[in-house]
Structures are given as C-alpha cells and as structure tokens.
Amino acid sequence: MALTHVLGVPRIGPNRELKFAQEAFWRGEIDEAALRAVASGIRQANWRRQHEAGLDFVSVGDFAFYDPMLNHVALLGCAPARFGFGEKISLPEYFQLARGNDACHAMEMTKWFDTNYHYLVPELKPDTPFSLGAEWLFDEVAEAQTAGFNPKPVLIGPLTFLHLAKEKGNDFNRLDLLDRLLPVYAQILARLKAQGVEWVQVDEPVLALDLPGNWRTAFERAYHHLNTAGVKLLLASYFGPLRENLLMALKLPVAGVHVDCVRGGDELAQVIDWLSATKILSAGVIDGRNIWKTDLAAVLGRFDGLHQRLGNRLWLAPSCSLAHVPVSLAAETALDPEISSWLAFADEKLDELATLKAVFNGGRQAVAAKLADNAAALASRRTSNRVHDAAVSVRLAALTATHDTRNSALAIRQTVQRARFNLPAFPTTTIGSFPQTPEIRSARARFKKGGLDEADYTAAMRREIAHAVAKQEALGLDVLVHGEAERNDMVEYFGEQLAGFAFSQNGWVQSYGSRCVKPPIIYGDVSRPGPMTVGWTTYAQSLTVRPMKGMLTGPVTILQWSFVRDDQPRSTTALQIALAIRDEVVDLEAAGIGIIQIDEPAYREGLPLRKADWPTYLDWASRAFRISASGVADATQIHTHMCYSEFNDILPAIAAMDADVITIETSRSDMELLRGFGDFNYPNEIGPGVYDIHSPRVPSADDMTRLLEKAAQVIPPRNLWVNPDCGLKTRGWAETEAALANMVTAARVLREAY
Ligand code: GLN
Ligand code: ZN
C-alpha cells in the first residue's frame, strides 16, 4: 500500500473566487461573514477534490486570506509592533498588515524562493514576542473534521519562518529568536494533537538553500524540541536537492520526510540509503512547478522497487504545493486539444496521483485505460511537429561566438553612436510604457472580443502613439518611446506572436494577495513568424525627428514569466527565444530604428537557489541576451532595463550582457544600488531611475537633481542617462507629465553643472 497526499493546493478557487471576494470586501461591498463563506467554500471544494482523488489526507492550513507567511505571523502572534495590534489579530487587521493603513505602510513583500509568488516578510526585532495568536488553523482543522475529512495540517517550519523574515534593528541575529519561537510551535502542535490530528506537515524549504552553519545546526535543536509535542511530523523540503543538508535533514527526529524528486531526483538513492527503518518517505514525483503531464510509466518503473521495500512507508505526492500551477484544465475549452492533452493543472495532477496509487495498490487493471492515455499523450508530445521545428534546431546548432558578440568593443560603438545621435550630456528618456488609460484598455479589449475591427483598432492605437510622441516632444525628452499602448503585458504581447506559445483562458496562478497572473505556456520550438513591433515603432518614428527607441522584452524575462518546456534545458528554450528577438531587433534596425531597448526585469529572478549553480545560469542568460542584441551594427544602440534588484553580486554578469545602456530602478534606494556599479567600474552607460513610478507623488526637480548629483559621484557623468525607475503604465497622465517636466529640468541643471 502506498499512501498519497499533496503539500497544498491553489487557494484562489477555480474562477478566482477568492480574489473577487477579497476585493469586494476591501471596497466595503461585502462583510466579513460573506468573505469567510467564500473562503470556506473554496476549502471545502478543495478537500472534497482531494478526498475524491483517494488521497489519504486533506491538506489544511494551505489556505490563506492573503498569504501563508502572513498567516504564520498571525498564528505566532508576532505582527509588527508598529501597527499596535494585540496578540490575536482580527481579519481586518490582518489585511492592514498586508496592505498598509493610514498610519503604517504595508509589510514588505518578496519572492518566495524561485517562484513568481510573493510572500509578506515578517519583521523581527530582538524583543519581538511570540505567542499563540490567531486560531484560524485550529478552526480549519475542526472544519475539515466536521466535514468528514482526515486533516493533515501544514505549517511553515520555524527555521524557514525565521530565515525568510527580516531583522529590524541592529546587532542581533534572528536565529537568536528560535528559542523563544519553539515553545509556541510546540504549543501549536500540542493543540493539533489534542484535536485528534495524527500527522503535521512542517515545510522547511530553506533546506534547499545554501545555509550558514549555525542555521544547519539549529535544525537539530528545533526538531528535538518539536518532537516532544507527540504528533507525527512530516518534514517537507522542496524546490531543489538538499545536497550538504541532506544527511542532517534525514537524521532529524521526525516521523517522515518529503523530498522533491523532480528537482532533487538525483539524490533519491542517497535518501533511500540513509532513511531510517521507521521513517516514512514522501516522494514528490509529480512536478508541482509546471503544467506538463507526468510520465506515469516512468514513475511506476522508478518507484516500484522502492514500494516493494517500503510498502506503506512510501507516500507519493507532487514535488511541492500545487499553488504554483493553475486550478483545472476543465475550463480550457479554447486550448488546442492536442496541446491540452499534454497538460496537467492541479486537478489533473490529483488524478495522476490517484492513478499511481491504484497501480501501487494492486489496481492496475482498473486504471489501464488511464495509463494508456497518459502514454499516448506523452508519445504525441515527444514526436509532434508542433513541438519540434527542424529549422529552429538547425539555427541553434549553427550558433557561433560571432552571434553573441557585437562587431566592435564598447568604446568604438560609443564613439560611433555619439556621433550619430548627438545627444546632450545626461540624455533623458523613459522606460517604455505611458499611462494605460481606460480608453486604451477598452479599445484593446473590444478588439480582442471582435467588437472593434483591425483598422479601427490600429487607428485608435496610432492616436495614442501620436499623443505620447507629442507629449514627449513638448516635454523636451531626448530619446522617445511609442508608449506600449498596444501591450497588455510585456510577455503576453510577444508570446502571442511567437510560434511555440499557447495561452490558457483561465490558467491563473496567485502572484500575491488578490493578484494572479496567467503565464503563457511555451510548448514548442520558438520562432518569430513575422515582425511584432516594427509597424508601431516606425509609425512613432515617422512623427518625430528625435530618436524613437524600439521596445522589446528579452529572452530571459519571457522564459522566467512563462511555463517552460521540461523536455529540453531552460537554456535551450532561452536561446530559441533569443533568436526570435534577434530577428525583431534586426528588422527594427533595417526599418531605421537606431535605438532598441530589450527589457530584462527578470534577469536576476532567474538565479538558481544555490550559489554554486549561479555561474552556469549567468553564462547562458547573458549569452541569450547578447544573441538577441548582437545582430546589429555598431551605430545601433542597445538598451536594457531591469527593475529593483540587488545587482552587486552579479555585476560581472550584467556587464557581460554588454548593453550600450542599462536603465535600472534606484530611486527607492536613494541611489545606493548604483554604488556597486561605480566600485565595479561598470564600463557601459547607465540610467539610474530618478523617480519612483510606484507612487503618484510627483518628485520635484530638486529631488531629482540631488539624486543625479549623487549618481555623478559614482558613475562618470558622461555615462549617465536620466530616466524614471520603470514604465509609467500604471500612472495617470497629469502626474506623469508633471514628473517628467521636473526630470527634464533636473537633467538641464546637471548639464550646466558638469
Ligand atoms: N518597457 C516596460 C515598461 O515600460 C518595462 C516594464 C518592466 O520593467 N517591468 O512598461
Ligand atoms: Zn522596470
């Protein structure tokens, strides 16, 4: 007998019910009881689904009204003191932590490991108190039991909780709080035991990270403490192999361990060797991070022997929580049936678990048809000519070093480009998008639904472009953009025009709070059937004598924000996208566009979890960017743009992209992020953002002058550009114009001074 379970499921509901209820509650349209009713409906449906799929437990505690980390802040009674809340916070208070209130800014948010999910960062001070706080987890356990399910509560483990938190205050280490935190965890476990719970899953995904020695040794102390609560603990790691943490994790006094056999599959033999004879092993055999069908025959082959040995000590599960994939394929009526036959969203992954369980438990006959369907779908995907395009492989195989290097070195390009564009010192530009007004959104939506024909749509977008160009000329900007009115999203826009991409209608995944994203699905070899932006850009250029900057999304960002093929390395897919973008760059140049920006906001996000894996990634990521950018003459100026991120530890790899100009987000760090570029002697030109586009506040010319003066102390003034932090699509025109006018003034002040 093998058991099956999941580490968690999507909490958004099949039609984003949670989002709509949250937002209605925030607008005051529904009361807390109505919001809670929606939440309960989602949980009940999720449990029913898990029960129907024959899972041995239902997961409880994977639901959150906003974010599971924030739930733990509530559960552990450690809301930031600056909010002045009590130990047991209410739901409205919980939302204030996430979204801020009149007196307090919201808690910070950051990416959850290498996913596109964002969690709220706990704020810890040396004296942060911990206590048994919100009772929601216990209520949900009772709710599941009342409904007749066998709950397995899910907790974020104490070390992961502390590790992902942020220290507020100097001279202390948040690990020092562990001894005060553990008794509260023990209390929680004791409460769960008293409720009749047998197993508690304790997530410690930090085990897949490079952990300092003191964090590694703390695990032993922590789990000896938690083990005394008397409930069975399933220690869950995921998102990668455990490497040097493996032996330590396997020796911890817990009743079972979960390992990610998709990303950490190479370690399975070691895990089995070291697993003590009494522990259960939960094998994460179904990819919780991607949307492809599992090769069931391969899993059965690989785990059959182990199942014989372990019997019901073997549990099967997805690699991680299914919250990172969409809910169900059932709604995808518009997807091509062949492509859809290759996919498994969360619901379908539960079916896969059911099939695996049936076979292991002697019911192969009953699921023979399912196994055959699965094998047929996999065979079709392996051989389909929708996936494989010989022309793309030929092109990839023919790549040489000449494809990923510009014709001349930076200094030569710089001379040629300066002569060509004759820009003033401290040239001004923007990052690409201008305000997406309700009129733009409605025109795009009507065009998509067929309510607006192509000619009328083109005319409407051209009017927007003309408007943006006229505004920029009037403001006196030096390098203009067309404004991106035609783009709903910087990845979707390109994906829709590239071969090898498919789009779901309802494939939403939570990004944070009520925000969801619908990532494109890259299913096949990528190529560019025809120009994607040339028409809009040349039209914009026809309206002005100033340089019009072409605007593209880079290969790494397109890769990072999509569901990616699992039948070839990510790097191969990145190179294919790079070649498609290169085609567009070359076409823009041929159409007379002299400056082309290739955005890579997700460049840093792509970094692997382990430092040892960084060089390989940075090598192919920078190469992919260079391939996209290197098809042009020296006189064509390539820009790139990256949003707020820490660059200091990857500066060589950023320099290796060899963009003529990079624009980055720096205003919120008061130019501190720029210091590294200066210390590194970053050779290329750089536009440190001088105003925060996330806020409607209009910075004064003095504010921006001060930032530029700071920048000019670390970067040679000749290499400095003047621009906002990021695109302006979320802003209104009035504040945009006022801020850009001040920005142009600031640039003029600097020109006088230097
Ligand atoms: N060109 C894009 C814009 O201006 C860049 C967006 C981003 O960096 N995320 O909107
Ligand atoms: Zn940006």
Side-chain angles (χ1 to χ4, degrees), residues 167-183:
E167 289 155 12
K168 292 278 180 175
N170 301 322
D171 290 336
F172 92 103
N173 185 325
R174 58 200 188 286
L175 185 55
D176 297 340
L177 305 184
L178 182 64
D179 290 328
R180 289 200 289 110
L181 183 57
L182 289 175

Side-chain angles (χ1 to χ4, degrees), residues 3-9 43 46-47 50-51 54-63 72 136-146 148-156 188-189 191-193 195-203 231-238 255-259 280-284 315-322 350 353:
L3 273 56
T4 49
H5 74 127
V6 288
L7 276 59
V9 294
R43 286 192 299 266
N46 282 344
W47 294 332
Q50 291 169 55
H51 183 73
L55 304 195
D56 294 277
F57 309 95
V58 298
S59 285
V60 178
D62 52 347
F63 178 81
H72 282 70
W136 307 332
L137 177 65
F138 312 119
D139 296 344
E140 287 169 22
V141 166
E143 183 187 17
Q145 287 168 328
T146 306
F149 302 114
N150 179 20
K152 178 204 59 186
V154 181
L155 290 171
I156 293 171
I188 294 166
L189 294 173
R191 274 283 290 269
L192 292 171
K193 185 179 161 65
Q195 284 185 286
V197 163
E198 183 189 4
W199 281 94
V200 177
Q201 171 188 321
V202 189
D203 286 5
V231 67
K232 288 183 189 162
L233 300 181
L234 177 72
L235 177 80
S237 75
Y238 40 84
V257 288
H258 170 88
V259 293
I280 74 103
L281 173 65
S282 164
W315 296 9
L316 298 173
S319 57
C320 60
S321 164
L322 295 175
L350 291 182
L353 272 181

Side-chain angles (χ1 to χ4, degrees), residues 291-292 335-336 339 342-343 381 384-388 498-503 520-526 563-565 567:
I291 42 70
W292 306 107
L335 258 184
D336 177 281
I339 294 170
W342 303 333
L343 305 179
R381 187 174 162 220
S384 171
N385 55 16
R386 322 207 29 183
V387 174
H388 306 283
L498 291 168
F501 283 73
F503 291 83
I521 297 166
I522 306 180
Y523 66 85
D525 286 339
V526 176
F563 284 116
V564 178
R565 294 170 66 169
D567 57 348

Side-chain angles (χ1 to χ4, degrees), residues 141-296:
V141 166
E143 183 187 17
Q145 287 168 328
T146 306
F149 302 114
N150 179 20
K152 178 204 59 186
V154 181
L155 290 171
I156 293 171
L159 287 150
T160 294
F161 181 81
L162 284 180
H163 195 85
L164 299 182
K166 188 173 162 167
E167 289 155 12
K168 292 278 180 175
N170 301 322
D171 290 336
F172 92 103
N173 185 325
R174 58 200 188 286
L175 185 55
D176 297 340
L177 305 184
L178 182 64
D179 290 328
R180 289 200 289 110
L181 183 57
L182 289 175
V184 182
Y185 267 91
Q187 253 178 298
I188 294 166
L189 294 173
R191 274 283 290 269
L192 292 171
K193 185 179 161 65
Q195 284 185 286
V197 163
E198 183 189 4
W199 281 94
V200 177
Q201 171 188 321
V202 189
D203 286 5
E204 292 284 13
V206 294
L207 286 166
L209 303 181
D210 298 318
L211 284 178
N214 52 340
W215 284 85
R216 301 182 53 205
T217 45
F219 265 89
E220 209 171 311
R221 185 156 44 100
Y223 282 84
H224 272 290
H225 192 128
L226 299 192
N227 197 26
T228 57
V231 67
K232 288 183 189 162
L233 300 181
L234 177 72
L235 177 80
S237 75
Y238 40 84
F239 296 155
L242 294 166
R243 295 189 186 162
E244 73 283 0
N245 300 328
L246 181 65
L247 187 52
M248 173 273 281
L250 288 174
K251 284 190 349 203
L252 292 175
V254 291
V257 288
H258 170 88
V259 293
D260 180 338
C261 295
V262 176
R263 290 194 174 182
D266 293 346
E267 288 181 342
L268 186 62
Q270 242 174 323
V271 171
I272 296 165
D273 272 357
W274 287 341
L275 190 76
S276 82
T278 53
K279 275 188 190 154
I280 74 103
L281 173 65
S282 164
V285 296
I286 287 173
D287 194 346
R289 292 288 298 273
N290 215 331
I291 42 70
W292 306 107
K293 270 191 180 156
T294 307
D295 186 341
L296 296 179

Side-chain angles (χ1 to χ4, degrees), residues 430-434 484 487 490 551-553 561 597 599-601 641-643 725-729:
T430 61
I431 304 305
S433 54
F434 272 107
E484 301 181 24
R487 298 182 199 176
M490 63 186 292
M551 196 55 59
L552 306 174
T553 303
W561 293 351
Q597 178 172 314
D599 289 326
E600 284 290 25
H641 165 73
M642 289 180 195
C643 300
D725 270 343
C726 192
L728 298 159
K729 68 176 175 192

Side-chain angles (χ1 to χ4, degrees), residues 408-418 634 658 660 683-684:
S408 306
L410 174 73
I412 297 171
R413 302 194 313 257
Q414 214 168 29
T415 309
V416 180
Q417 290 165 17
R418 280 181 180 161
D634 290 349
D658 200 23
D660 297 302
N684 307 30

